Amino acid sequence: MAIRSLRYNDDEILRKRCRPVDEVTDRIRDLLNDMAETMYAENGAGLAACQVGILKRLVTIDMGDGLLKLVNPEIVEAHGEQACVEACLSFPGRVGQTVRPQCVTVRARNEKGEEVFYTGEGNLAKCFCHELDHLDGIVLPDRVTAWLSGGKA
């Protein structure tokens, strides 16, 4: 495993749509492991592949209940609404208010290539939405309704 370099702020790769993964191979598993190691090294709760310069639909998340490695994740159900406070490893020092669904269900493949479903509420729902936004080139400043620190007025 290896810690990867993060992409920051106006890096154009953060604005690009990631491509689906056709097959979960050892190379994809190695990348997911690198992403997890990078996420932990940066004290993050989630990381999308584009944040380390790879335009693939891959996400790692750990909100304290164990590591999730998601291949081609998509939100299949969302309901409710919550006011959130969000930060992002790619926008250091910036914290903003957002509005996200209260509960989401995500369908993905795991690192074995098996279909999995996860339902998250509260902070996990927020994290799913945040990381999956990255896969579509949507970044934190696009979602912020008000900056709490480090943002532009």
Side-chain angles (χ1 to χ4, degrees):
M1 293 196 309
I3 294 175
R4 304 265 182 142
S5 297
L6 288 177
R7 302 296 182 106
Y8 296 105
N9 300 310
D10 295 327
D11 189 317
E12 65 184 34
I13 202 165
L14 295 172
R15 291 289 188 173
K16 294 188 178 190
R17 187 173 178 83
C18 294
R19 295 180 302 275
V21 173
D22 295 326
E23 180 183 1
V24 181
T25 62
D26 286 342
R27 187 171 175 184
I28 294 296
R29 284 185 278 277
D30 288 345
L31 177 54
L32 286 164
N33 288 335
D34 288 354
M35 288 171 57
E37 187 172 349
T38 303
M39 177 183 74
Y40 290 133
E42 296 290 336
N43 294 313
L47 188 70
C50 60
Q51 292 179 274
V52 293
I54 307 292
L55 288 173
K56 293 196 179 291
R57 296 188 79 78
L58 300 170
V59 166
T60 57
I61 292 174
D62 191 342
M63 295 294 294
D65 294 323
L67 178 61
L68 302 178
K69 297 176 182 177
L70 306 177
V71 178
N72 298 330
E74 61 180 326
I75 294 173
V76 294
E77 186 177 334
H79 60 83
E81 186 175 280
Q82 63 176 324
C84 301
V85 173
E86 290 189 45
C88 180
L89 293 175
S90 290
F91 295 87
R94 299 173 81 180
V95 178
Q97 294 177 331
T98 62
V99 177
R100 299 285 192 180
Q102 176 63 33
C103 182
V104 299
T105 298
V106 172
R107 175 178 57 216
R109 299 271 174 204
N110 64 17
E111 64 185 321
K112 297 176 185 175
E114 304 163 331
E115 186 176 57
V116 292
F117 290 84
Y118 296 101
T119 298
E121 295 188 28
N123 282 332
L124 182 54
K126 170 182 71 174
C127 192
F128 280 143
C129 292
H130 180 108
E131 298 310 328
L132 272 63
D133 270 356
H134 272 297
L135 301 180
D136 292 324
I138 300 167
V139 293
L140 179 63
D142 299 337
R143 296 287 191 201
V144 167
T145 57
W147 288 106
L148 303 175
S149 68
K152 298 173 185 169

